[in-house]
Amino acid sequence: MTSEAAPKAVRLLVVDFTPTGNGTATGELKAAIFEGLGATPIMQVSCSGDVFDYSFPNADKGLYRPANLDDLLVQIDWFAPTVILARPTPDHDVLWMLALALRRRYGIPVLVWIMDDWLVGLGMGGQRRAFETSIAQALGEAGLGISICDEMSERFEDLFNVPFRAIANGIDAKGAFQRFSARASDPNEPFVFRYAGGLAHNMGVDTLERVADAVSQLRQEGVDVCLEIKTREYWLAEEGERFAGRPGVQATTSDMSRPVYLQWLSEADCNLICYNFDEASHRYVRYSLANKLPELLGVGAPVLGIGPADLPTIARIRDLHAGFHLSNAKPAAMLRCLRDIVSRRTELKAVAKRGRDVAVQHFSLEDMQARLANALQTLALERGHLQPGDDSELFRGFGTANQTLPFTIIANPIPVPQAPLDDETPPMARQRYNPPEGPEEEAPPPRPTSETSGHAMDGLITENARTSSANDGSSLKIPQTNTAGLPLTLDPPEDRNENWLEDLAHDAERFSKTARQRAIEMQNASARTDKALDPSYLVELSTAEITALNGARLDSEAGSSFKVSRNKAAPGKHGLISTGLDKPVGGLQVVITSIHGKVEFTASGETLLSVRRPGTYDVVFRQPKWLTKIEIRCLESMEARVGVQSMKYLDLEKAKQRA
């Protein structure tokens, strides 16, 4: 099969309880990732309570509701999937069992996508054993799993002995995020902290309440500051009482469209990411990366991450110098942190710019889309013909959930139907189309003024302000100052024996080996090969001509800046640089800004450079070398790519003259 035909083999059935693009973190993540799959047919089965829904995310934005299970199976049989992407969760185990049954029905693999470590909350009972057994079986058949970050991949690779690939959220710097740039904080306006997201008890609501305490106290001190919270209606009903009646704190439902939501974030003086410090919350999120981190960085406002220092999200902010981070649970530290940020607001634009640069370089949505496309293509081509099996015992392990649907009957193999034409209408779909109602507002809510910033949120459950329930201590005392160019100047603690601001070495003890390696790589981002070249003798290859080869794609900018993407091309040469040099040179310097997969630079059959990470690389030749043509090979992935900022050569004549 040719590389051009390969993508057509993928017909993706997604089994996940949150519909694509429904405003939730996982729904918006799927919408962003699936958009990069282009013309790949996608069908999703989701659920609302005990009722199934289905949709075709890349075809229309409608949500369909089958009349019954038989109707749903008619739709899926018509769709004829070749790969299933499923996100198992304990609260929706019926969906997971449906995915397992459908894999037997069609003899196709299930690609398991795990976004948080919910297994730890199941104890060691029968439900956990049923999930671990079934997930292990699906992973073994697929030979691959999907996680949300490297730390989670490491965790589940150890548990299931199957490689995991990290696919998280990202930003499209040339798309929806192109209009954003670093914003300066206006000292004549109230300082606005903003938080968008859930208020789950096992994630971050306790810490967010501590932020609300600090904001209210700052207002009592005369600081014109406020905290705006946007969350879903469910969370506001569950936890809104915590924030009622507090001066300077307002919480409302997030009824904004995505463009309006991003604009709202961009107009904040500082956006927040909050994690609790208790052990139960730490167990749940210790391997998770916040879906909203890339977009918070990408909108051009500073980010403050609060939580234990070893959590992946906090570690990314720190390791990449992307914003502020505070890992001290004490209210006094929180108060000093917020006060220091507010008081130095004129310096925040530089922090915001650094954060946006990090988002563009390290959270490329295009890279995430390519990883998923490559994984799906591999499964469809190499694992698309599974042998039938008897899963009756597997289904029985889920107990009462097994009584809901006849999973053993669904799992009976059927002949795979002929894939429908792209313009063919699903059976009975026209009568079941229910277009979603989008928000009516076209502009984000106005920023608070000095007159409105002190207003408290209307009471949702009671008009009386609730006192903070957060305790002063923490079982995870991993203090950490920020390293984003604006150090927190916290006063010394009253207890001189307790060091609130411990050094990075202490934090590193709690990192996973992947996180430790990443920290080392970031510190040595400009690691050199062999010995460094003297920049005085380097000349840029400004006249070089770049050509894409073998079906690869080229994005050429000015001078020697370019980007080569393998673009599903077959193995071989994917780029050719005609240097224009008419003389031998003493070395080569390549500045790589982004990379996916492994990339080799060769000349006359000799490998000059073989790299996997961004950085500045110097190659010093033992003898002068003719570099009339340099070949580029993108390896290890059908979507491998490399972005080069500049290429320079060591001019021997210039060096000789200087000598």
Side-chain angles (χ1 to χ4, degrees), residues 410-634:
I410 298 173
N412 288 333
I414 67 168
V416 178
Q418 180 67 33
L421 298 175
D422 292 341
D423 59 353
E424 191 173 333
T425 303
M428 297 180 288
R430 291 194 186 278
Q431 292 76 26
R432 309 199 183 283
Y433 176 62
N434 180 22
E437 296 182 2
E440 295 181 356
E441 61 178 325
E442 297 180 354
R447 279 178 53 90
T449 64
S450 297
E451 290 73 27
T452 62
S453 64
H455 291 183
M457 182 187 71
D458 294 335
L460 297 174
I461 303 174
T462 174
E463 294 183 357
N464 297 326
R466 172 179 172 179
T467 57
S468 174
S469 60
N471 57 46
D472 290 345
S474 170
S475 57
L476 291 170
K477 297 178 180 178
I478 315 173
Q480 175 60 52
T481 185
N482 76 294
T483 54
L486 183 60
L488 302 179
T489 54
L490 305 187
D491 297 333
E494 294 182 5
D495 182 359
R496 298 287 177 171
N497 295 322
E498 180 183 6
N499 182 10
W500 284 2
L501 302 177
E502 299 181 25
D503 58 19
L504 286 172
H506 178 273
D507 295 327
E509 295 175 2
R510 302 188 63 92
F511 289 174
S512 68
K513 60 187 179 184
T514 302
R516 283 199 301 271
Q517 182 60 33
R518 183 185 303 102
I520 294 172
E521 290 169 353
M522 289 307 303
Q523 292 170 5
N524 300 319
S526 297
R528 311 274 180 153
T529 61
D530 199 350
K531 57 183 178 179
L533 296 171
D534 189 332
S536 303
Y537 310 136
L538 292 178
V539 179
E540 187 167 357
L541 286 168
S542 56
T543 60
E545 294 183 2
I546 317 297
T547 306
L549 302 174
N550 196 26
R553 188 172 58 200
L554 173 67
D555 181 9
S556 182
E557 299 175 2
S560 59
S561 175
F562 61 89
K563 181 177 181 180
V564 173
S565 171
R566 180 171 174 179
N567 196 32
K568 302 184 179 68
K573 306 172 187 176
H574 301 109
L576 179 65
I577 304 172
S578 299
T579 65
L581 291 172
D582 58 358
K583 57 184 177 182
V585 300
L588 183 70
Q589 181 187 84
V590 184
V591 179
I592 299 176
T593 56
S594 62
I595 195 167
H596 173 62
K598 181 180 178 181
V599 176
E600 290 183 351
F601 295 80
T602 63
S604 302
E606 179 182 350
T607 299
L608 305 177
L609 196 62
S610 179
V611 294
R612 299 174 184 268
R613 301 286 181 183
T616 300
Y617 296 90
D618 284 3
V619 184
V620 182
F621 304 144
R622 290 188 176 89
Q623 295 181 346
K625 186 181 298 291
W626 288 88
L627 292 182
T628 56
K629 294 182 179 179
I630 301 175
E631 299 166 353
I632 302 174
R633 288 179 169 85
C634 301

Side-chain angles (χ1 to χ4, degrees), residues 90-167:
D91 294 333
H92 301 88
D93 50 2
V94 171
L95 270 179
W96 171 239
M97 295 173 67
L98 177 65
L100 296 177
L102 292 175
R103 96 191 195 281
R104 292 299 187 212
R105 184 179 183 88
Y106 307 121
I108 59 177
V110 171
L111 182 59
V112 179
W113 195 352
I114 301 179
M115 296 188 183
D116 44 50
D117 191 10
W118 47 266
L119 278 173
V120 298
L122 299 182
M124 298 304 295
Q127 187 183 26
R128 174 162 181 168
R129 289 193 297 273
F131 267 111
E132 285 194 348
T133 301
S134 58
I135 291 174
Q137 189 175 94
L139 288 171
E141 293 172 348
L144 176 69
I146 300 295
S147 76
I148 200 70
C149 62
D150 293 339
E151 289 85 346
M152 185 165 289
S153 291
E154 182 183 316
R155 145 79 168 146
F156 286 106
E157 284 174 0
D158 291 342
L159 181 61
F160 294 109
N161 197 30
V162 171
F164 271 72
R165 185 172 300 173
I167 298 178

Side-chain angles (χ1 to χ4, degrees), residues 242-263:
R242 292 182 182 232
F243 306 97
R246 296 178 185 269
V249 179
Q250 295 180 339
T252 56
T253 56
S254 53
D255 54 355
M256 298 178 287
S257 64
R258 179 162 178 79
V260 173
Y261 161 74
L262 294 177
Q263 184 67 33

Side-chain angles (χ1 to χ4, degrees), residues 241-415:
E241 183 185 5
R242 292 182 182 232
F243 306 97
R246 296 178 185 269
V249 179
Q250 295 180 339
T252 56
T253 56
S254 53
D255 54 355
M256 298 178 287
S257 64
R258 179 162 178 79
V260 173
Y261 161 74
L262 294 177
Q263 184 67 33
W264 180 77
L265 290 175
S266 73
E267 295 175 355
D269 293 298
C270 185
N271 287 307
L272 301 171
I273 296 179
C274 297
Y275 290 105
N276 296 337
F277 288 83
D278 63 279
E279 288 285 0
S281 298
H282 184 266
R283 283 195 301 271
Y284 181 62
V285 299
R286 60 181 170 171
Y287 303 116
S288 297
L289 184 70
N291 278 319
K292 60 188 173 185
L293 176 60
E295 63 190 23
L296 292 186
L297 296 173
V299 296
V303 174
L304 168 60
I306 308 173
D310 63 333
L311 297 184
T313 303
I314 306 300
R316 295 299 187 280
I317 295 173
R318 177 186 60 249
D319 295 346
L320 300 175
H321 306 297
F324 303 109
H325 51 92
L326 181 68
S327 295
N328 192 324
K330 290 185 177 294
M334 179 81 69
L335 182 64
R336 290 166 183 155
C337 173
L338 299 189
R339 183 190 293 118
D340 194 74
I341 291 176
V342 173
S343 67
R344 309 178 85 173
R345 62 188 303 171
T346 58
E347 304 173 45
L348 296 184
K349 186 175 181 179
V351 181
K353 183 181 185 305
R354 168 62 185 174
R356 176 162 170 73
D357 291 344
V358 166
V360 172
Q361 182 174 353
H362 295 276
F363 295 100
S364 166
L365 182 60
E366 187 180 8
D367 286 345
M368 302 301 172
Q369 293 166 338
R371 291 180 196 178
L372 179 59
N374 191 58
L376 295 174
Q377 183 179 328
T378 299
L379 264 61
L381 295 177
E382 299 179 4
R383 306 265 180 164
H385 304 285
L386 301 180
Q387 296 298 317
D390 183 5
D391 286 340
S392 56
E393 289 298 325
L394 197 65
F395 294 134
R396 198 170 293 123
F398 285 90
T400 55
N402 190 38
Q403 309 303 319
T404 307
L405 294 174
F407 292 106
T408 53
I409 297 177
I410 298 173
N412 288 333
I414 67 168

